[in-house]
Amino acid sequence: MNTDPIADYLTRVRNAIKANHRVVEIPASNIKKEITKVLYKKGYIQSYRFDDAAVQGTIKIALKYNPTTKVPAITKLQRVSTPGLRQYAHIGNMPRVLNGLGIAILSTSKGVMTEKEAKNENVGGEVLCYVY
């Protein structure tokens, strides 16, 4: 049993990037699917596919690399809020990642979104991770 599925998700993606894999397969959950959609929308991954053939299902993510230099689009994935210490941000103190060059993914009452979208929606939430 995994106590922190989001940390497991981020670790699998991080390890696949370090090993220069093109595709990574991850056990699915609703929060992982939403994080994957945010990463795709912001251009950090090339594509994704949800495979619901099994009971739990899987997420297949095609990682994005620069075609000439082979540098990955994701240089760092950092888990912020953990099961033992939850980190929350309200509208007044949204986190800035790499002075605006990265994104913070938040779980809000209106769904999973970036810190900029949360600020536009005027909601706060739990800071799941930083991506840059």
Side-chain angles (χ1 to χ4, degrees):
M1 180 172 161
N2 194 358
T3 58
D4 191 5
I6 298 171
D8 178 60
Y9 171 90
L10 297 175
T11 301
R12 286 176 190 244
V13 172
R14 195 179 306 119
N15 289 344
I17 289 171
K18 285 185 179 183
N20 291 324
H21 290 177
R22 294 285 175 205
V23 178
V24 60
E25 193 169 325
I26 300 166
S29 72
N30 289 337
I31 189 87
K32 292 177 191 177
K33 288 179 181 179
E34 294 301 317
I35 292 171
T36 304
K37 290 177 186 176
V38 170
L39 289 176
Y40 177 72
K41 190 168 63 172
K42 292 300 175 183
Y44 285 103
I45 58 175
Q46 190 171 347
S47 64
Y48 63 92
R49 187 173 72 221
F50 301 138
D51 185 18
D52 294 328
V55 174
Q56 183 176 5
T58 59
I59 304 171
K60 290 187 179 181
I61 299 173
L63 300 172
K64 190 174 191 179
Y65 295 93
N66 187 326
T68 55
T69 61
K70 307 293 187 229
V71 175
I74 299 173
T75 55
K76 188 157 186 176
L77 287 167
Q78 181 181 355
R79 178 79 161 120
V80 178
S81 182
T82 61
L85 181 62
R86 302 288 187 190
Q87 298 290 328
Y88 296 95
H90 57 80
I91 191 67
N93 69 343
M94 285 291 167
R96 286 188 56 153
V97 181
L98 216 60
N99 206 13
L101 296 177
I103 62 169
I105 299 177
L106 277 76
S107 175
T108 67
S109 59
K110 296 186 178 180
V112 177
M113 58 183 72
T114 65
E115 82 282 357
K116 292 172 188 158
E117 294 168 346
K119 200 166 197 170
N120 290 339
E121 293 282 332
N122 201 22
V123 293
E126 181 182 353
V127 183
L128 299 176
C129 62
Y130 295 151
V131 182
Y132 53 92

